[in-house]
Amino acid sequence: MYQRILNGLADFFGISRKEARGALVMMVCCAVIIWTPFIFRRWILPFVPAGSPPPERRVLDSIALLLEKQQATKIKPRNRPAAKEPAALKPEQIKLVRFDPNSASVRQLMGVGISGFLAGRIERFRTKGGRFNRKEDLMKIYDFPPDLYERLEEYIVISDQKPRFETTQQSSSKQFPRTSGRYEIKNSIQVFDINQCDTTELIRLKGIGSKLALRIVKFRDGLGGFHSTEQFSEVYGLDSLALSELKRFAKVGSAVKKININTATVEELGRHPYLRNRKQMQVLINYRTQHGPFRSLEELRNVKVLDQGMIQKAGPYLSF
């Protein structure tokens, strides 16, 4: 019987007797795997003794209720008094008058149109030792609306501090007008070259802090300099206020640093923010090796794998 099955398998599939034995074993294993669940449910499972019955639902509900009560007695929520926001003023009570954010009370701040929670933030800022040295410093208060600042800017009055080195009233009256003029010149923002400035000049602009200024400088250095003010929008994290300030005061006054496309390596090209696709740069180098140096930006378009938008953006930074 066994030999007949082997011969039948060998003749049917055209295989050797050794292969037929392996096929027979595999068929038997498949049959066992397929029929085992059915046999177990039909003839074995009915004879397995059932386990102990589960607890009744009411018992489980009572246990859960008991645990909830114990948990509630251990952890009692602390009733912390919520910080009361000053009552909002009526529209007829709001009047635009001159005020000093360093000395105005919460009520006076609300009287010029500042909301209660913003007035509270200004008050907490002052109690911790903070001081507004310029009108623009008011924008450093978190979530202070730019449109509200523009409406209040002409009414903000910053009281001048007396220099510490002055000892007499007479010397103060003689020297203070001169130094105040210098402070006005220093605090006034002048147009500057974005490719030559540092973070201290960028921080003076509205909407730009130390981290954002550092990010702008790093992006500029990676590019080799800005060739257009439209590139400012490519810096991550710049909002509309920061962009408008940059386009107003930051101008492109010096040339960018260029890369010689005919001598640069893959690593040198890949360090540029517009040329970071290493595979495309390797294809460009191979094309240059086979066809000779590039003579113009148009010849770069012959390298089909290069993105045309990337070529347009990187063009001002390439030399031939």
Side-chain angles (χ1 to χ4, degrees):
M1 182 66 178
Y2 175 70
Q3 296 297 332
R4 184 180 298 176
I5 294 175
L6 289 181
N7 293 333
L9 290 174
D11 294 339
F12 183 80
F13 293 106
I15 56 178
S16 63
R17 291 179 59 83
K18 185 175 181 180
E19 293 172 338
R21 283 195 295 270
L24 181 60
V25 172
M26 185 174 63
M27 291 178 183
V28 172
C29 293
C30 291
V32 171
I33 293 172
I34 293 172
W35 285 95
T36 295
F38 174 76
I39 295 172
F40 179 80
R41 289 193 303 268
R42 183 68 177 80
W43 285 289
I44 299 178
L45 189 60
F47 298 100
V48 177
S52 58
E56 296 182 0
R57 185 174 184 83
R58 285 182 295 178
V59 177
L60 292 176
D61 292 341
S62 62
I63 294 174
L65 183 60
L66 181 61
L67 291 175
E68 289 179 1
K69 289 182 179 180
Q70 292 178 353
Q71 191 72 13
T73 55
K74 289 181 180 179
I75 304 175
K76 294 182 179 180
R78 297 180 180 178
N79 297 324
R80 297 182 178 178
K84 294 183 179 180
E85 181 179 333
L89 299 180
K90 297 180 180 180
E92 57 270 14
Q93 295 178 311
I94 298 176
K95 297 180 180 179
L96 294 179
V97 295
R98 295 185 178 275
F99 69 98
D100 186 354
N102 291 312
S103 58
S105 63
V106 174
R107 198 70 179 175
Q108 290 173 334
L109 293 173
M110 294 177 62
V112 295
I114 300 176
S115 59
F117 72 92
L118 283 177
R121 287 179 184 173
I122 295 173
E123 178 66 20
R124 288 191 293 273
F125 173 75
R126 294 183 308 197
T127 55
K128 292 180 180 179
R131 177 176 171 80
F132 302 99
N133 297 316
R134 298 178 300 166
K135 295 182 179 181
E136 295 81 3
D137 291 344
L138 199 61
M139 289 295 296
K140 296 180 180 179
I141 298 298
Y142 179 72
D143 208 22
F144 199 94
D147 54 344
L148 177 60
Y149 172 79
E150 293 178 0
R151 191 165 66 249
L152 298 177
E153 184 176 8
E154 59 180 313
Y155 298 98
I156 300 174
V157 178
I158 304 296
S159 59
D160 296 328
Q161 290 181 324
K162 294 184 179 181
R164 296 182 179 178
F165 58 84
E166 294 176 339
T167 57
T168 62
Q169 183 71 21
Q170 183 178 2
S171 60
S172 174
S173 61
K174 291 181 179 179
Q175 298 180 5
F176 186 75
R178 298 179 183 176
T179 56
S180 63
R182 294 176 184 175
Y183 282 124
E184 290 176 1
I185 296 174
K186 181 179 179 180
N187 289 333
S188 61
I189 303 176
Q190 303 294 333
V191 176
F192 57 88
D193 184 0
I194 187 63
N195 291 331
Q196 300 294 333
C197 71
D198 54 12
T199 56
T200 56
E201 291 183 87
L202 293 171
I203 291 174
R204 299 175 63 188
L205 302 181
K206 299 176 186 177
I208 298 179
S210 57
K211 291 184 179 180
L212 199 54
L214 184 61
R215 190 181 302 162
I216 295 171
V217 171
K218 285 185 177 180
F219 184 76
R220 178 200 67 189
D221 294 342
L223 285 174
F226 293 100
H227 70 83
S228 171
T229 57
E230 298 300 323
Q231 293 176 283
F232 296 159
S233 58
E234 299 177 16
V235 181
Y236 176 76
L238 290 182
D239 56 12
S240 57
L241 176 62
L243 280 174
S244 62
E245 286 288 290
L246 276 176
K247 291 182 179 181
R248 179 182 177 186
F249 295 105
K251 305 300 180 183
V252 178
S254 55
V256 299
K257 182 181 178 181
K258 295 191 175 185
I259 304 173
N260 192 325
I261 193 66
N262 293 317
T263 59
T265 62
V266 175
E267 290 74 17
E268 292 173 344
L269 293 173
R271 284 195 290 266
H272 196 279
Y274 294 159
L275 306 172
R276 285 182 177 171
N277 192 321
R278 294 298 182 92
K279 292 183 179 180
Q280 291 185 0
M281 294 304 102
Q282 186 61 58
V283 173
L284 186 147
I285 297 298
N286 295 339
Y287 185 93
R288 184 185 69 189
T289 304
Q290 295 175 3
H291 298 83
F294 298 99
R295 291 184 294 272
S296 66
L297 190 64
E298 292 298 324
E299 292 189 5
L300 285 178
R301 304 183 189 277
N302 297 330
V303 186
K304 301 302 181 182
V305 299
L306 296 183
D307 181 65
Q308 299 302 316
M310 180 270 290
I311 295 177
Q312 192 68 27
K313 290 173 64 177
Y317 298 95
L318 302 177
S319 62
F320 301 88

